[in-house]
Structure formats: C-alpha cells, structure tokens
C-alpha cells in the first residue's frame, strides 16, 4: 500500500489502471519486459547494427526481401561459423554446396533451364549478402553462376544450354571460366597466347590459363582461345576429363584463400566442334559476358565493405578503454562515419546500376565506373575497420582481417582500376587512351 501511495503521488493511478486494462496480452508482456529490464546507470538502448543507412531494402518487394533474408540467414547460420577455419587452411567447404541448393539462387537473371528469371537487381543483392559474410564464397558463385553459366547462356547453342544449364542451376555440375593467362591479364582483348586450331572435326587447344577460380573441381571450364587461322577469340566448353587438360591448385595466396584458383595447362587438348561455343566468334562476345558480370563484382565490393563496417561497429561498441566503449570517442566515430559514407555511396550506385541493367540501359562504361569506385572505396572502408580495431584487427576471429585481404582481390579482378578507368575515360572524352 505504501508503494501504491508513492506511485499515486507521481501519476494518476486510476487513469493508469484504465490504460493498463485496455492493453492486450502482447502489449502487457512487452510492458512487463521493459519494466523488468535493468539498465546500467547512464546506459540506453543501442541502435541496431545495420549497414543499409538509407533503407534501400525498402525498395525491394516482399518476395525479394524474403529471398534476401533467406540468403542472409543461411550465410549467418551455415557459413559464418566455418569460413575462418577454411580461409586459414585455404580449403573450400564443399559441404555447403548441398545446403546452398535449397536456396535456388543460381542463374538468378536467366530465363528458362530451371533458372529463377529474377531481376539483375536480385543477383546483386544476393552477391552482396554472400560477400557480407565471405567474399570467397561470393566469388565461387560469381564464377559459376555468372561467368560460366553466363557464357553458355549468352554464347552457347540451344543444345549446349540444354546440356549444361539445368544441372549447373541445381549445382549438380560446377563451372569455371578461363580467360586470364600467366602473361596476359588486362591485354586479353588482343593478346591471348592460348591458341586453338581446327583439325578436321576437332579443335586443338594449347596454352595456359591462370587464376581460374573453381577450376580444380569444376565439371566444365569455359576456355577462351585465339584462333590461329582467323586470329579471332573463340570459346570452348572444356570438360575436366578431356585429354590434354590439367588444373593445378595455386597456393600461398593472401586473398580469397577459400577460392580454389588453378593454373590450367592445355597441351594438344582435343575439343570436338560440338563443344565450341557456337555464338562466340570474337572478343566482343566475350565482352558481353564480362559486361553482365562486372556489375556483380561491384556488388561484391559493397558486401565486403558492409561486412567490415558492421563487424567494426559491433566491436567498437563492446570494446572498452579508459572505462568507456571506444565507440563513444570522437576519433572512432569519425572513422565509422567515413566508412558509412563510403558504404552508402557505393550502395546507391550499384542499386541504380542494376536498375539500368534491368531496363536494358547498361553500357560498358556504367559497369566499369561502378567497379572502379566500389573497389577503391572498399579498400578505404576495410582499412578504417582494421584501424578502429587496433591490434585485434589482424586476427581472423574478428573477421575484418579477412575482409582486408579479400578487398585486394576485388580491386584487381574483372578489370583493374586502370583498365576500367580508361573505359570510362573513352566514353566521356570521345578519345581512346588504350595502347593500340
């Protein structure tokens, strides 16, 4: 009764009882939970850790948002617990492939052959969600679903599509994409050293490919080679059992250690005409594939940056120095805001990029600008994430060290910063600065 008397001195008790009587069961439980919660002096509820500061997710439909959250929950529950161990050992977690099948996220933008036929925007969202936890797993998907399946989808005959795409969509068959060579990276448009020559009804391939993701275990590798007779670039579906094909795992990488990159050697590798990509007759056809997938790499960069930012923010709110969380210090907040600014700019850019792709407005320079900007800004974000975590920033257990290393790979593949800058420069000036 004394307690009721004290309360009555501060509020109108009869009015409070009327208000309580009007609450439903859910509201009453919520109120009791709030009343029972003990807060430390000077502490308040912290805002959620969410890298989508401008709420771009609200632009997604309910179905799209559900798919995004299905991928996020899968990555958090099934992949995050094992990636640091596999990254450290440079091994691929093959056990997750069976689990990934249930998500049905392979070949997202393609029509037919069992593919979901969703907007390119969703392909980007999925790439971001996977890279937010691990860039290596996102690269595995980008190579298989984007580069390998995309090559067959854009350049293959109907027979080739029917043979490969349904099984690749279900992850029953895995694909790889062989373009880069030991001596040829940026100059692939006119300088491929891997050659092909027609011999009766077969093509003979000779040469090497380097940095080819998935190639140590892929069932089919799309190999691009220069025709000795026409000097044009052609594409081939090389099966892992083809005589004259050898894939050796590359070791001692500092980035994307889960990705199984290979050095491929083709020595008088005989490929039947039926396994030549029938609609790939020059590098312009190869470029169509790269244009389509380059947007996905920009989304990967966003995912990498988001993962680093959210990990760093979480860390700074828990880590205390001088009796306070380090997130309460001005210098730390300045770093966090710089990271969020970069991340938000990247997110809005790639979102618009995918909208243009879905509208059929995407050009090489649009994809290249996104790749240039996002790969550079990601470098800055992961660097600041490592900065605010101090010495712990170089430990795998806090994830940021992995993002720092993997950002270096994003910066280089699918066209370097310099090459993509020249593509944009040519578009805005009308002058080509490429060496001819």
């Amino acid at each position: 009764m004394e307690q009721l008397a004290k309360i009555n001195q501060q509020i109108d008790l009869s009015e409070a009882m009327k208000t309580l009587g009007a609450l439903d069961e859910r509201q009453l439980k919520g109120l009791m939970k709030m009343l029972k919660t003990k807060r430390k002096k000077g502490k308040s509820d912290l805002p959620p850790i969410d890298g989508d500061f401008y709420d771009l997710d609200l632009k997604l439909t309910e179905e799209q948002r559900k798919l995004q959250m299905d991928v996020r929950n899968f990555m958090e529950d099934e992949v995050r617990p094992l990636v640091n161990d596999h990254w450290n050992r440079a091994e691929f977690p093959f056990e997750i492939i069976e689990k990934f099948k249930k998500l049905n996220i392979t070949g997202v933008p393609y029509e037919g052959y069992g593919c979901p036929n969703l907007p390119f925007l969703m392909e980007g969202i999925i790439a971001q969600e996977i890279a937010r936890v691990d860039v290596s797993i996102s690269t595995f998907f980008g190579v298989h679903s984007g580069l390998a399946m995309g090559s067959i989808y854009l350049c293959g005959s109907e027979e080739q599509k029917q043979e490969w795409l349904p099984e690749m969509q279900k992850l029953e068959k895995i694909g790889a994409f062989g373009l880069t060579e030991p001596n040829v990276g940026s100059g692939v448009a006119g300088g491929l050293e891997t050659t092909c020559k027609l011999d009766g009804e077969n093509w003979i391939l000779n040469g090497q490919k380097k940095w080819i993701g998935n190639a140590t275990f892929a069932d089919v590798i799309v190999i691009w080679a220069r025709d000795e007779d026409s000097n044009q670039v052609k594409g081939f579906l090389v099966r892992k059992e083809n005589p004259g094909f050898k894939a050796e795992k590359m070791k001692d990488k500092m980035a994307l250690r889960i990705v199984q990159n290979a050095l491929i050697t083709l020595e008088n590798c005989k490929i039947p005409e039926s396994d030549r990509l029938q609609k790939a007759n020059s590098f312009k056809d190869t470029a169509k594939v790269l244009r389509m997938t380059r947007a996905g790499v920009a989304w990967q960069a966003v995912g990498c940056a988001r993962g680093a930012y959210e990990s760093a923010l979480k860390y700074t709110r828990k880590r205390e120095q001088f009796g306070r969380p380090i997130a309460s210090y001005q210098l730390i907040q300045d770093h966090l805001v710089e990271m969020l600014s970069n991340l938000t700019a990247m997110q809005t850019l790639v979102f618009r990029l995918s909208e243009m792709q879905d509208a059929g407005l995407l050009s090489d320079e649009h994809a290249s600008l996104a790749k240039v900007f996002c790969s550079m800004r990601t470098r800055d974000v992961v660097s600041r994430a490592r900065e605010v975590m101090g010495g712990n920033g170089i430990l795998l257990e806090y994830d940021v060290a992995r993002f720092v290393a993997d950002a270096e790979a994003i910066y280089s593949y699918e066209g370097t910063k310099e090459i993509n800058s020249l593509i944009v420069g040519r578009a805005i000036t009308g002058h080509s600065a490429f060496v001819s």
Side-chain angles (χ1 to χ4, degrees), residues 224-371:
W224 301 92
R226 179 177 54 82
D227 188 342
E228 290 186 17
D229 295 323
S230 68
N231 208 38
Q232 293 294 335
V233 173
K234 299 187 184 302
F236 298 88
L237 298 171
V238 178
R239 303 164 192 257
K240 62 181 180 181
E241 65 272 14
N242 277 126
F245 170 83
K246 183 173 68 172
E248 302 172 85
K249 178 180 175 178
M250 296 178 61
K251 300 179 180 180
D252 302 326
K253 297 183 299 174
M254 65 159 277
L256 299 184
R257 290 176 55 78
I258 288 177
V259 176
Q260 302 300 292
N261 293 100
L263 172 66
I264 291 175
T265 300
L266 302 156
E267 187 173 354
N268 293 322
C269 185
K270 184 182 294 186
I271 307 297
E273 167 64 15
S274 59
D275 280 346
R276 179 180 66 83
L277 287 174
Q278 298 298 303
K279 298 180 182 178
N281 299 304
S282 73
F283 188 77
K284 290 182 179 179
D285 298 310
T286 318
K288 292 178 185 177
V289 180
L290 298 176
R291 182 188 308 123
M292 180 177 65
T293 59
R294 191 162 286 151
V297 177
W299 275 99
Q300 275 188 359
V302 174
C304 178
R306 183 169 179 173
Y309 164 75
E310 291 179 348
S311 297
L313 176 58
K314 179 181 178 181
Y315 177 87
T316 60
R317 298 203 314 198
K318 290 183 176 180
R319 175 73 168 178
E320 293 191 358
Q321 290 290 284
F322 308 108
R324 295 164 53 189
I326 63 173
S328 67
Y329 290 103
Q330 291 180 356
L331 290 177
I332 298 297
Q333 290 191 6
D334 182 65
H335 278 303
L336 292 170
V337 172
E338 287 281 354
M339 293 162 65
L340 182 59
S341 299
N342 281 326
L343 175 58
T344 303
M346 293 160 59
Q347 287 172 324
T348 52
L349 188 154
V350 294
F351 209 99
R352 175 55 185 157
L353 181 74
S354 290
E355 287 180 336
M356 295 179 71
Q357 193 168 11
D358 284 319
L361 301 175
L362 183 72
S363 297
D364 287 340
E365 56 266 25
H366 298 134
S368 290
L369 181 63
K371 171 60 168 63

Side-chain angles (χ1 to χ4, degrees), residues 62-132:
E62 184 177 341
E63 292 77 12
Q64 290 170 343
R65 178 64 171 159
K66 180 182 182 304
L67 178 57
Q68 179 190 26
M69 294 311 298
D70 285 345
V71 176
R72 180 177 300 181
N73 292 335
F74 177 85
M75 293 300 297
E76 290 291 344
D77 298 340
E78 301 289 345
V79 180
R80 186 180 291 278
L82 54 80
V83 288
N84 281 336
D85 176 59
H86 283 76
W87 194 94
N88 198 35
R89 292 187 288 114
E91 295 182 358
F92 188 87
F94 290 102
E95 63 269 27
I96 68 173
I97 293 180
E98 280 297 320
K99 298 176 182 179
F100 257 121
K101 292 178 182 180
K102 299 176 182 178
L103 288 175
N104 191 32
I105 57 173
T106 310
V108 165
Y110 310 140
E111 183 177 358
Y113 315 102
C115 298
N117 191 25
L118 297 176
F120 280 102
L121 174 63
M122 285 311 299
E123 184 179 50
I125 292 289
I126 290 168
Q128 173 194 230
E129 289 300 331
I130 299 177
R132 175 181 167 271

Side-chain angles (χ1 to χ4, degrees), residues 58 66 90 147 184 197 216-217 291 309 359 367 371 377 388 390 392:
L58 296 180
K66 180 182 182 304
L147 290 168
V184 183
K197 186 174 179 62
T216 61
F217 60 93
R291 182 188 308 123
Y309 164 75
K371 171 60 168 63
R377 293 303 95 207
V388 300
N392 285 333

